[in-house]
Amino acid sequence: MGKILFKAEDTRLKSEASSNNLMQKGFRSDRDILKKRSAKYVELFSSLDTKSLSDVQGWKQLMEAVYEEFGTAELENLPLGIVSKCFLGESYEVHILDLSGSQIIAHFKAGEAMPNDFEKARTLAMHNAYAFVEVYSDKLVLVRADGSAVKL
Amino acid sequence: MPEVSYANLSEIERALTAINNNIATVNSNVGALSDIQQTMAYKQDAMEAELKQLSEAFADFIAQDAKHKNLQLAETRIGNLRQELQIKFGYYAEIRRMATGILQGVDAGLVGNETIKSSTEEVMIKAPGYWLAPALVALASWVRDDRPTCDQAISESLKRDDYKATLFFMLLTRRLGRNDASLAWLERYFMHQNPRDLDREFITVLEAIATGVFHPASRIVMMKNVKNWLDQLTQGDQFINEQKNQWIKYFEASKPAVQSDKYPLLKQYAKNWVVLENSLRTAKTHEILNNHFSSIISSGQDFSTTVKAKLDEILTQLVTNFDDEELPLQKKVRLNQLIIDKDGDKDAAQAMLDAEMNVFQEKVDFLQMLTNAAFNPEAAGVTGVTQALAVSISQPWILEAHDTFTAQSRKMFPQTVELVIDGFATSTKDGSDEKEQLSKQDKFYMSELQKGLGSVTFPMAGILIGALVGIAGFIFGLVGGLISLAIGGVMIWNNLRSFKNKKELVRTTIEGRRKKAREVLRGCLAETVDYRKELAIEDSKAEAVRELLNSITPQDFSSVSQEIARNIM
């Protein structure tokens, strides 16, 4: 009997947990998506170079900044990655910071194709008006140096 | 026997002749018959046409008759309806006339207290359900300083129709210059408004506040309410996104027309010219928008006179328009009047009535109203002041829309100019790589030359024939051999000369093409440099628009309009 009761309890807890999950995964208002990015976050991602990423500490710091900025560590609500101008050398155009698990930085030369989701951000990432572009599966969010965001 | 045969033949001949004659008769009869048939067919056609005419005339007649009957019916009905209206609501019309009279009298200070008193009290008794009756009593008691009656009458009026009474007293107190009272009524008026479903006259009231026709303190009341509404409406994305999309469409529609001949070579040789041109046109929109918004927010004209007239118009309408109670009857009267006007055409009259009714049922949400006022103030029936107010309140989503519009156009900007000149395809980013491009083009023509020369074949057959001819003569001895050798030699020489000529021709043709194409390429690259420069300049103007939009806020606007208000007061 006790066992059965425990089981019932268990399912209830589970369903509650899943509904919470749904709420978090669900609709996000444009106002949330377009909220001004913090100066710290913008600064960090505008000044990305290979050096800061070479050591583990740099990575950790970056990911923490991302979690803090979006108030969550749930991958569904985070950008797939961030595309920005690359200053490695003249032939390099842009780089991707891939946040979707693999967490790597990749640099791309002019004419070199980027992974599918990211290619659409290329032109805008190269435009001087934007500091960087957050790439989501269903949208792009362009972030200006002052932290203001534009959804596309 | 021979006699018999003779007699028999003549008989048969006669009989045949007779038959012949008969056949001829039948023939002629048949001919006559077909003539008759033809005549009959003609007659039938004529009859059919006449019948058709007749049926048309008949249908016309029926339609006319129906219209005529409709007309007669409408004329009879309108009389009856008017009588019914007179019996049921006749006094309403009288109250309206009286209200107009009292308002004019109060304005001019001409009507005596006693006159007003006696006439208004009578009104109360005769029109038990009409809100305007106690409103008039309130007005009359106010004129003669009878506060208890005034309060009672006001509360009765509000009980009968809160919205109309509020609007009435708000407009009236404004007209009479009672600022405190007007402000209190204004606050009540705002409470009546639902930001998702605003009344038609709201925009005029907003305009009156914006232009300073109401007391300056009314602006604070307005801003407080507007802020609340915005908080309500902007909680979800739906209302804002609707307006945002309209603004984006508006920006897209503001694109300037095509500027035809600034980049003639690119137009001719750039494969992606359509995108290049479209990008430039989109970028050029920013300057237009900058001018547009600057002119809206800097307009400081005094519109108060027209606004005052409009407010009075609302008051007049309020006082003269029919009450909800009489509306069904009034609608019937109007329909019958329209049937008479349309000479009995019922459908046309109904369509017109529907259109008239719709105009009065039009309701909009607050954000849509702002957008209408900002896009097309004339059509929305507002002046530049309300347009500026609308823009300043809508500023957050105008800015968002402009950001999106700008980003969309920037995303579309082509990274390269794709040129195809005389079969040579190349792409340049900004036209600054002339040296590389020219050397690439030279290489292209080198290979063209190789190909061209390769296609000119060596005349092996001709030379062989020449050689054979040259040798063949020796069969006839030495002299013959020498002659044929000369002939063969000439043949071989001719073949070789024509081969050389052909090659020369290929060389000069390709060199000619190369020279021409080189000039075109240099021209294209020069135009690309200019194009990129112009595109960058026009595109950077987007940031200016952004700054301008960022600088507009409702607070700023109210300080501007308070200037205007002070000038008016």
Side-chain angles (χ1 to χ4, degrees), chain B residues 182-234:
Chain B
S182 166
L183 198 64
W185 285 114
L186 185 74
E187 258 177 284
R188 193 181 177 88
Y189 174 76
F190 265 104
M191 269 156 38
H192 268 288
Q193 296 299 330
N194 170 4
R196 287 181 176 79
D197 208 9
L198 289 171
D199 289 299
R200 252 164 62 87
E201 74 275 350
F202 179 77
I203 186 91
T204 311
V205 175
L206 191 74
E207 164 122 337
I209 300 168
T211 47
V213 169
F214 277 97
H215 190 264
S218 66
R219 208 179 319 273
I220 298 162
V221 176
M222 172 192 74
M223 279 307 179
K224 195 181 73 193
N225 280 287
V226 163
K227 209 183 156 297
N228 274 341
W229 291 353
L230 289 180
D231 285 347
Q232 276 181 48
L233 292 178
T234 55

Side-chain angles (χ1 to χ4, degrees), chain A residues 47-66:
Chain A
S47 63
L48 264 190
D49 56 31
T50 37
K51 200 173 158 237
S52 69
L53 289 167
S54 56
D55 53 274
V56 183
Q57 198 54 40
W59 259 118
K60 216 178 146 206
Q61 191 196 349
L62 272 179
M63 289 319 289
E64 267 165 16
V66 170

Side-chain angles (χ1 to χ4, degrees), chain A residues 27-31 34 93 120 123-124 126-127 129-130 140 142 144 146 148 150-152, chain B residues 234-237 240-241 244 400 403-404 406-408 410-413 415 429 539 543 546:
Chain A
F27 177 75
R28 271 186 84 205
S29 154
D30 276 1
R31 293 327 109 200
L34 293 177
E93 271 185 353
K120 57 184 189 252
T123 315
L124 290 167
M126 280 161 63
H127 199 285
Y130 310 109
L140 299 175
L142 322 174
R144 290 169 181 273
D146 66 356
S148 59
V150 184
K151 186 184 120 177
L152 204 62
Chain B
T234 55
Q235 258 170 14
D237 287 338
I240 285 199
N241 283 348
K244 210 175 128 177
E400 272 185 27
D403 274 346
T404 306
T406 309
Q408 270 169 356
R410 282 173 178 166
K411 196 174 171 216
M412 191 181 73
F413 288 173
Q415 288 300 295
K429 208 172 158 189
D539 176 57
E543 303 304 309
R546 209 168 177 273

Side-chain angles (χ1 to χ4, degrees), chain A residues 124-140:
Chain A
L124 290 167
M126 280 161 63
H127 199 285
N128 283 331
Y130 310 109
F132 52 83
V133 181
E134 295 168 0
V135 179
Y136 296 80
S137 56
D138 58 343
K139 60 184 169 279
L140 299 175

